[in-house]
Amino acid sequence: MNKEEKGDMRESVVPSVMTLTAPAPFADEISCQCQAPHEKLTIAQARLGTPVDRPVRVYADGIFDLFHSGHARALMQAKTLFPNSYLLVGVCSDDLTHKFKGFTVMNEAERYEALRHCRYVDEVIRDAPWTLTPEFLEKHKIDFVAHDDIPYSSAGSDDVYKHIKEAGMFVPTQRTEGISTSDIITRIVRDYDVYARRNLQRGYTAKELNVSFINEKKYRFQNQVDKMKEKVKTVEERSKEFVNRVEEKSHDLIQKWEEKSREFIGNFLELFGPDGAWKQMFQERSSRMLQALSPKQSPVSSPTRSRSPSRSPSPTFSWLPIKTSPPSSPKAASASISSLSEGDEDEK
């Protein structure tokens, strides 16, 4: 296989992608682009492959108020029913809708524009009929009609699509659960006070919102209360963050203090413990002081001095006090004095 054949094969595998650069046109502004003979097709034939000269023209209609994802999914199913299809979407006017279904939130012009900007829509038909007629189907050369299979009772009929089903032109689509225009309106009505307060806060007047004077003051007071709650909440969050930061720093400080205290205790024990350096230094200094204070002993072999025989030994004096008892009488006192005088004479 050469390079040219590989290139041709790659182009046949990759599908062509159409870039949408403009909204879908309105049917009354263009003529029907299907110029080939419009032969009636069956659903089986359309699913097997359409004629080469034209796509299958599929029609889907509705109110499409508050256009949402459920509408878009239904149109996506209608667009992808067949390999090659052209989707026409009919949108009913305000007059028909208010007459047969009820009041809408969006007017007809807004609903038309919403459909034009859906990627699955090829053409929008304004002021579509409530009940499809053969003339309408022939005018727009419609092959099939796509809608959910639930019988749609309206305008005095049990099912406005009954004749389409009997003609074999009806192709069912699936509804998207959990989303519908009625559900959205129910949410708004249920939370009316919330939305009224929001729009008052955004600058809408009470007259524009059809709100009474008392309710306006109530809503504005509630808005002030909500602002205060938000401020309190913000302060609480900031205080929590501050407390968390303080706790983190306190943990760090405690950890550092524990490390420093362990280091201090270790150094103290190393210096003043049982085997510490301070004890050894104290013992050395005390031994030095004892050596310095103690007298030096005389040598054992030193010669002793001999006393001269002519010299009498020096008298020894007793410095101890002599305790004497007091004399009991005068005679005893005189006797003691005489004995002392005799002793002095003997010594001389």
Side-chain angles (χ1 to χ4, degrees), residues 98-150:
H98 298 167
K99 180 180 178 180
F100 293 110
K101 190 171 184 178
F103 192 75
T104 58
V105 177
M106 300 170 67
N107 58 40
E108 59 184 23
E110 295 169 338
R111 293 185 284 115
Y112 296 154
E113 284 297 321
L115 266 298
R116 291 186 69 194
H117 293 84
C118 178
R119 62 181 298 182
Y120 309 112
V121 178
D122 296 308
E123 186 177 327
V124 176
I125 301 176
R126 292 183 284 196
D127 193 12
W130 198 261
T131 302
L132 300 179
T133 61
E135 292 78 14
F136 180 82
L137 298 175
E138 179 63 27
K139 176 182 177 181
H140 295 282
K141 300 186 182 302
I142 296 170
D143 292 309
F144 299 101
V145 176
H147 200 272
D148 62 80
D149 203 14
I150 300 174

Side-chain angles (χ1 to χ4, degrees), residues 50-101:
T50 58
V52 180
D53 54 355
R54 71 175 183 89
V56 176
R57 295 173 68 84
V58 180
Y59 176 80
D61 60 357
I63 309 302
F64 302 106
D65 191 20
L66 297 176
F67 190 82
H68 52 76
S69 61
H71 295 142
R73 287 176 62 86
L75 297 176
M76 179 186 69
Q77 295 177 57
K79 177 68 176 177
T80 58
L81 284 171
F82 308 108
N84 184 21
S85 61
Y86 185 87
L87 180 60
L88 300 92
V89 179
V91 184
C92 300
S93 64
D94 286 344
D95 292 337
L96 283 177
T97 304
H98 298 167
K99 180 180 178 180
F100 293 110
K101 190 171 184 178

Side-chain angles (χ1 to χ4, degrees), residues 114-256:
L115 266 298
R116 291 186 69 194
H117 293 84
C118 178
R119 62 181 298 182
Y120 309 112
V121 178
D122 296 308
E123 186 177 327
V124 176
I125 301 176
R126 292 183 284 196
D127 193 12
W130 198 261
T131 302
L132 300 179
T133 61
E135 292 78 14
F136 180 82
L137 298 175
E138 179 63 27
K139 176 182 177 181
H140 295 282
K141 300 186 182 302
I142 296 170
D143 292 309
F144 299 101
V145 176
H147 200 272
D148 62 80
D149 203 14
I150 300 174
Y152 195 84
S153 58
S154 180
S157 174
D158 295 336
D159 188 2
V160 295
Y161 298 104
K162 182 178 179 180
H163 63 290
I164 303 295
K165 295 176 182 178
E166 292 175 351
M169 298 176 63
F170 186 84
V171 184
T173 57
Q174 299 296 321
R175 293 177 64 91
T176 302
E177 297 296 332
I179 183 68
S180 66
T181 302
S182 299
D183 291 339
I184 296 174
I185 294 174
T186 301
R187 297 178 202 171
I188 297 172
V189 173
R190 181 187 60 198
D191 300 327
Y192 169 77
D193 289 353
V194 176
Y195 295 115
R197 287 165 50 192
R198 183 191 69 172
N199 284 3
L200 281 173
Q201 192 173 5
R202 292 184 176 182
Y204 288 89
T205 62
K207 184 177 180 180
E208 291 173 331
L209 296 174
N210 195 22
V211 174
S212 65
F213 176 80
I214 296 175
N215 286 335
E216 178 190 4
K217 298 303 179 184
K218 181 183 73 173
Y219 293 150
R220 294 192 183 279
F221 176 75
Q222 289 175 345
N223 286 335
Q224 295 296 327
V225 172
D226 289 343
K227 287 181 180 179
M228 291 298 297
K229 288 181 179 179
E230 289 294 329
K231 289 182 179 179
V232 171
K233 186 177 179 181
T234 303
V235 171
E236 288 179 353
E237 292 177 353
R238 290 180 179 177
S239 61
K240 287 180 180 179
E241 291 178 359
F242 176 75
V243 170
N244 291 332
R245 290 178 182 176
V246 171
E247 287 181 353
E248 291 176 359
K249 290 184 178 180
S250 63
H251 290 317
D252 294 338
L253 290 174
I254 291 172
Q255 187 175 1
K256 290 180 180 179

